[in-house]
Amino acid sequence: MLGLPLIRSNPELVIQKLARKHFDARPVVEQVLQHDSERRAGQTRRDQLLAQVNQLSRQVGQLMAQGRKAEADELKQQSTALKQQVQDLEHQLQQQEAIIHELLVRLPNLPADAVPDGKTAADNVVVRSGGTMPQLSQHALPHWDLAAHYGLIDFEAGNKVTGAGFPFYCGAGARLQRALINFFLDQAVAAGYTEYEPPLLVNADTAFGTGQLPDKDQQMYYVNADELYLIPTAEVPLTNIYRDVIVEEQDLPIKLTAYSACFRREAGSYGKDVRGLNRLHQFDKVEIVRIDHPERSYSALEEMVDQVERLVQQLELPYRIIKLCGGDMSFASALTYDVEVYCGAQQRWLEVSSISNFETFQSLRMKLRYRDKSGKTHPAHTLNGSALALPRIVATLLENNQGPEGIRLPACLHPYAGFDTIR
RNA sequence: GGAGAGAUGGCAGAGUGGUUGAAUGCGGCAGACUCGAAAUCUGUUGUCCUGGGUUUCCGGGACCGGGGGUUCGAAUCCCUCUCUCUCCGCCA
């Protein structure tokens, strides 16, 4: 969420920047300002009254110690009279704080200045691209046909056992999953990220901290009996390790990585978008998370993009890196790069990674701060990215590398898979 | 799942109604000693909200797991929730 001091000191800037995300912030900002000034006035009054109460209580204590009970009783009555006022003010303050919080939580993050103008995905900007486009024959098959032909993925069994979007990987297909996960994790560790294995279920505070709650609750699977959410990405548990934490400035950056299964309800998706591996309810992903100093967070973002770029290069896939425009960015992000790979048989670009700087948006929600040399605390910047999400990588590897002898794997995967071609 | 114990500042650990934001120790920071370090000594050391001055300043308030209550006054008493530990049961 945005910080109250920012809104207080520069409401027009907030409104203006959120307009670039095509969000009309004016009504919310104005309400925030009004409730905030009322709240502060209320607090001042409450604090004054409480100071009196505290004063009286101290005097009562002294009088009692001296055995001057009658005088003490008189002061007690004065204090009791103040108490009702304090309680009323207290109640008002709590209400006001709740309202302000509700309002603040509805405001998206401000886009960075580097974010391109635009409303939809069509306005995104291709930053750079690489790799060579596959030369496939007319008879090239989409990955779902290839997966069936080589016995790599059993969609039907998944449908029966769970439902659509929960496939089984089998044989070389399962082995390929494991190979990719290990390759990605090894690469992340080599880049200085500490490997974690996170819980797959998280509580509501955690889901709130990274911004999944309250607005994206329909995208998460929810376990009623225990009030827990299945994670849509390892970002959620990883970043929340640092919820309510103050880190020392010299300990930044903090770099975390984890493999996890990810669960998404994907309500509202349909058609070719959900065919085969294109969009699943459960999928595997290696995530990288970084907590960094505000001055360094944008160079950190570039580093993370480079890291992901090296992965798709090693996988020998044609790719492009895209900077999302204001209208296409997520609620919590200040700047997002997507990495897409070209999937030859389907003849379409598929998003395999999304790398974002959230600046202080998540930190303010989860009270993640760092302490500078002078001892002051400031919200840290948080970033994360997929490095990488597996299903669309698998789809693209299968489609682009198909040939008469089978499906070739890129060299980087040979030691991990234990084979170089799927036959 | 059953029974019991507990949750205090970065850590350890006192504190059962009255200047207690909280003893003591460790750690951290600053200073003294030292060529330097160790040891020793001295001082200092939490977070958040808020008023005023407005770079280091001065005040008010809140916070001893979360929430609620009793009281003039609660870390201390009561209720409730969560979590941790020990024992029993079950189990990968």
Side-chain angles (χ1 to χ4, degrees), chain A residues 208-221:
Chain A
F208 177 82
T210 29
Q212 277 70 31
L213 290 181
D215 54 307
K216 289 204 265 303
D217 63 315
Q218 288 309 303
Q219 283 294 347
M220 287 188 291
Y221 289 96

Side-chain angles (χ1 to χ4, degrees), chain A residues 21-80:
Chain A
K21 272 196 171 180
H22 301 274
F23 184 94
D24 179 15
R26 187 170 295 279
V28 178
V29 166
E30 281 173 358
Q31 283 183 71
V32 167
L33 289 176
Q34 193 199 322
H35 286 288
D36 179 51
S37 70
E38 283 173 19
R39 197 207 102 240
R40 284 193 285 169
Q43 184 187 328
T44 303
R45 264 179 283 138
R46 194 243 358 218
D47 286 353
Q48 287 167 351
L49 291 176
L50 268 181
Q52 286 182 48
V53 171
N54 289 342
Q55 179 72 25
L56 286 170
S57 295
R58 253 173 252 139
Q59 289 173 6
V60 169
Q62 285 166 3
L63 291 171
M64 294 294 273
Q66 295 164 19
R68 294 151 73 181
K69 191 168 179 309
E71 292 165 76
D73 283 343
E74 190 177 329
L75 292 184
K76 279 189 199 181
Q77 283 181 15
Q78 287 182 36
S79 187
T80 307

Side-chain angles (χ1 to χ4, degrees), chain A residues 127-164:
Chain A
V127 176
R128 60 182 182 272
S129 52
T132 50
M133 297 297 266
Q135 304 295 321
L136 296 178
S137 79
Q138 300 264 321
H139 309 292
L141 297 173
H143 69 269
W144 48 89
D145 288 338
L146 292 166
H149 179 262
Y150 291 100
L152 305 175
I153 304 171
D154 192 338
F155 288 100
E156 288 72 28
N159 288 344
K160 179 173 78 179
V161 169
T162 305

Side-chain angles (χ1 to χ4, degrees), chain A residues 169-294:
Chain A
Y169 301 86
C170 38
R175 181 64 187 248
L176 179 58
Q177 293 290 114
R178 191 148 57 91
L180 284 164
I181 292 165
N182 285 334
F183 171 62
F184 293 151
L185 278 175
D186 284 352
Q187 293 289 307
V189 169
Y193 292 83
T194 303
E195 182 175 345
Y196 277 74
E197 182 177 314
L200 303 179
L201 290 152
V202 296
N203 58 35
D205 286 343
T206 294
F208 177 82
T210 29
Q212 277 70 31
L213 290 181
D215 54 307
K216 289 204 265 303
D217 63 315
Q218 288 309 303
Q219 283 294 347
M220 287 188 291
Y221 289 96
Y222 180 62
V223 180
N224 258 301
D226 297 288
E227 300 181 334
L228 295 172
Y229 296 86
L230 273 84
I231 60 170
T233 159
E235 163 204 350
V236 177
L238 281 184
T239 313
N240 273 279
I241 293 171
Y242 287 89
R243 175 154 51 83
D244 289 315
V245 169
I246 301 173
V247 299
E248 298 303 322
E249 188 173 20
Q250 65 263 25
D251 293 334
L252 298 174
I254 291 162
K255 298 165 77 176
L256 317 171
T257 187
Y259 152 74
S260 84
C262 302
F263 303 89
R264 298 185 182 179
R265 294 187 62 232
E266 302 291 2
S269 300
Y270 60 91
K272 66 176 181 176
D273 284 342
V274 300
R275 196 78 198 271
L277 295 174
N278 288 352
R279 190 177 295 275
L280 299 172
H281 289 306
Q282 179 185 325
F283 63 96
D284 294 310
K285 181 160 64 65
V286 172
E287 184 80 358
I288 50 177
V289 167
R290 184 156 173 158
I291 298 164
D292 215 329
H293 194 282

Side-chain angles (χ1 to χ4, degrees), chain A residues 89-104:
Chain A
L89 282 167
E90 198 86 49
H91 187 65
Q92 281 178 34
L93 282 179
Q94 280 177 12
Q95 275 189 330
Q96 230 129 24
E97 274 163 19
I99 291 169
I100 290 168
H101 187 255
E102 287 294 309
L103 290 167
L104 281 181

